[in-house]
Amino acid sequence: MGGESFGWEERILEGSGEFAARKRLLELRGLSVPGEEDVVLGLFDDDGLVATGSLVGSVLEGIAVADAYEGEGAAVAVVSSLIKRAVEGGRKQLFLFTKASEASRFEAMGFSFIVSTGSQGVALLEWGMEGIAFWLKALKTRTEGKPHGAAAVVVNCNPFTLGHRKLIEYAASKAPWLYVLVVEEDRSLFPFGVRVELVRQGIADLPNVTVLEGGPYVISSATFPTYFIRPGEKNGDEADRAVEFHAALDLALFRRHIAPALHVTDRFVGTEPYCATTSTYNRIMKEILTAKDGGGEPLRVHEMPRFEKEGAPVSASKVRELIKRSDMDAAKALVPPTTWAWLISPEAVPVLERIKKSDSRH
Amino acid sequence: MEAKKTATAGSLESSDVLVTISPAAGSAVELKIESIVIKQFGKRIRSVTEEVVAASGTKGVSVHVQDRGALECTLRARLETAIARAAEPA
């Protein structure tokens, strides 16, 4: 096995001394300490830490090699070991963010390039048997024969409200076909299965709308990890920068891969009155999707004012807040009958309980 | 043998190969071969992979071979090990 042949010891970091050494190594490389790691690995020789890397869910992060050991295969030893540990943990697909200028180094380690935000920007790479090409092919079988020049909205719908309904209704009235991509990551209070089903029921009467699962490539913990982090979990400025580059990658991926596959030319989005992350995402959406030189055809972005009821914007976070306060009558006024029917069903009880206890942003 | 879980053998280091075996639906054997010497040895890597998988009697699997210039004996050993590991109970 890799490192051992060079006389390196490969193991999980332990003790504050080793973590401090890792932090110094990451900082030397201009990297921040990831946080919420499942595995933090180190390669050691007699003098201490040679290289480090970590696994956060399905994302490889914080990979760095000490100066004196550059070019000796330490990085690839760390990456190989992280892949192996991730696979043993049941993962089939892994992701990695890096500077665009470094992407080719990881391609040489068996990762496939997905997208970057330009040569000075960041890049997203993946590892596994079934990559984005495979996912797009599966998506295309469900969208075959639909009109070109279609529109798309990306929604979490946690849960589906009258606001979502109005946005979808409007977008569907302006385009020959509309794809509603529902964020698949199961880190919201309403489980994905429920969210997507309530979207399907809520738009069942619209003839030119197809609801699609967002998979790992639409606002997932792989493409957009900071979307799922509560404000305050990271330091202000650092978190904002991370949100900006994750948002940029997510949108570049949409433009380069998803929009062409679905023949989408227009993206619709609601204005975001409450959530700073989502409003940053919307701002970057306009920059990335409409830019003339962003690769492929530019898209049009249509930002709709939030649907208001009694002078206040209707949003899913508002609905959750009302549920939290047990003000079900007020919540009822903000959702369509299909969502309401689910909220008062026995199936909803554990979800409502979770909302009452939670302070999650999503 | 039957693949019960995803398993790997080998590494992505120079002169090695990383083999990942996963259970897949149906009885087909899906191959994905990547190599730094695909032009010169792609066909040989594929035929060795097919041969070792067939010899093990494994069906309904996906086999991901990421070759970094391994010798044929290394490739065979990595394939056999990954197949055996994938057959262990999850």
Side-chain angles (χ1 to χ4, degrees):
Chain A
M1 301 258 280
E4 287 158 31
S5 61
F6 294 88
W8 292 326
E9 184 195 356
E10 172 204 306
R11 60 179 160 81
I12 303 291
L13 293 199
E14 49 192 46
S16 55
E18 292 184 3
F19 277 94
R22 169 201 185 220
K23 186 162 184 267
R24 279 196 301 277
L25 185 49
L26 290 174
E27 279 168 358
L28 269 172
R29 288 279 174 271
L31 299 169
S32 57
V33 178
E36 291 189 57
E37 302 96 334
D38 300 303
V39 174
V40 181
L41 203 69
L43 289 190
F44 295 86
D45 73 358
D46 295 343
D47 300 326
L49 190 64
V50 169
T52 180
S54 54
L55 199 58
V56 184
S58 61
V59 184
L60 273 65
E61 289 191 40
I63 296 162
V65 177
D67 269 335
Y69 299 88
E70 277 286 348
E72 293 188 34
V76 73
V78 166
V79 167
S80 287
S81 179
L82 288 172
I83 291 175
K84 202 167 290 187
R85 286 163 197 264
V87 167
E88 279 163 14
R91 306 258 173 209
K92 289 186 172 174
Q93 191 178 23
L94 299 172
F95 297 90
L96 184 150
F97 297 96
T98 186
K99 290 176 197 150
S101 55
E102 304 250 299
S104 62
R105 285 188 58 195
F106 291 98
E107 284 182 280
M109 294 183 205
F111 277 75
S112 309
F113 177 85
I114 299 178
V115 76
S116 78
T117 58
S119 57
Q120 301 300 309
V122 286
L124 177 65
L125 294 92
E126 67 181 338
W127 176 93
M129 182 91 182
E130 294 173 2
I132 187 162
F134 184 91
W135 181 77
L136 288 173
K137 219 168 113 190
L139 205 61
K140 275 183 174 171
T141 61
R142 294 172 55 194
T143 59
E144 229 173 351
K146 305 279 193 296
H148 292 197
V153 296
V154 171
V155 287
N156 195 20
C157 291
N158 183 32
F160 186 77
T161 67
L162 288 173
H164 298 120
R165 167 72 201 195
K166 292 286 175 190
L167 174 67
I168 290 169
E169 224 174 70
Y170 179 79
S173 76
K174 296 288 174 196
W177 204 267
L178 176 69
Y179 296 106
V180 178
L181 290 145
V182 183
V183 174
E184 190 160 346
E185 194 74 27
D186 236 338
R187 283 168 73 170
S188 295
L189 288 158
F190 288 83
F192 172 66
V194 172
R195 286 187 287 115
V196 77
E197 183 52 32
L198 292 179
V199 177
R200 290 212 165 95
Q201 290 176 10
I203 56 100
D205 58 313
L206 300 172
N208 62 333
V209 179
T210 301
V211 178
L212 297 169
E213 299 84 9
Y217 301 104
V218 177
I219 311 187
S220 71
S221 61
T223 62
F224 201 158
T226 39
Y227 182 77
F228 301 95
I229 299 170
R230 275 192 292 276
E233 282 182 22
K234 288 222 172 181
N235 301 332
D237 279 358
E238 192 178 301
D240 289 347
R241 255 192 304 133
V243 166
E244 285 189 11
F245 89 64
H246 288 144
L249 268 178
D250 180 273
L251 291 157
L253 196 162
F254 183 86
R255 171 168 176 166
R256 296 300 294 272
H257 295 289
I258 298 174
L262 299 179
H263 303 291
V264 160
T265 52
D266 292 74
R267 187 151 158 182
F268 287 78
V269 63
T271 51
E272 177 52 57
Y274 297 124
C275 169
T277 301
T278 308
S279 87
T280 300
Y281 183 73
N282 289 355
R283 171 170 58 79
I284 293 176
M285 182 185 303
K286 281 172 235 161
E287 287 171 23
I288 302 258
L289 297 189
T290 64
K292 284 201 168 58
D293 53 357
E297 287 294 305
L299 282 84
R300 287 179 292 266
V301 173
H302 311 267
E303 193 171 16
M304 302 297 310
R306 251 327 147 111
F307 172 60
E308 294 193 2
K309 208 157 178 185
E310 281 149 25
V314 173
S315 79
S317 57
K318 183 78 186 167
V319 170
R320 294 196 303 278
E321 191 191 309
L322 293 167
I323 291 170
K324 203 173 157 89
R325 296 206 307 247
S326 295
D327 194 348
M328 293 306 276
D329 284 345
K332 184 181 179 180
L334 303 185
V335 298
T338 44
T339 300
W340 178 246
W342 189 86
L343 286 175
I344 55 172
S345 73
E347 206 191 327
V349 172
V351 174
L352 299 186
E353 282 306 309
R354 264 214 314 282
I355 292 170
K356 284 173 189 169
K357 286 185 199 135
S358 156
D359 61 345
S360 166
R361 191 147 61 81
H362 299 289
Chain B
M1 272 193 276
E2 184 197 347
K4 295 191 177 73
K5 60 172 185 191
T6 302
T8 66
S11 80
L12 293 165
E13 286 161 65
S14 188
S15 305
D16 200 349
V17 52
L18 181 69
V19 175
T20 309
I21 307 263
S22 314
S27 63
V29 176
E30 279 173 58
L31 298 188
K32 181 173 174 184
I33 311 273
E34 298 163 25
S35 175
I36 53 169
V37 286
I38 196 90
K39 281 203 182 86
Q40 297 91 329
F41 297 111
K43 274 189 188 152
R44 183 65 190 156
I45 293 168
R46 180 171 290 273
S47 75
V48 167
T49 302
E50 281 169 351
E51 181 204 318
V52 175
V53 173
S56 72
T58 310
K59 285 186 178 126
V61 284
S62 65
V63 181
H64 189 185
V65 174
Q66 295 181 285
D67 171 54
R68 315 296 304 147
L71 295 174
E72 188 174 318
C73 55
T74 308
L75 173 62
R76 287 178 182 274
R78 297 310 191 193
L79 283 164
E80 284 170 11
T81 306
I83 291 166
R85 283 180 182 159
E88 287 166 13

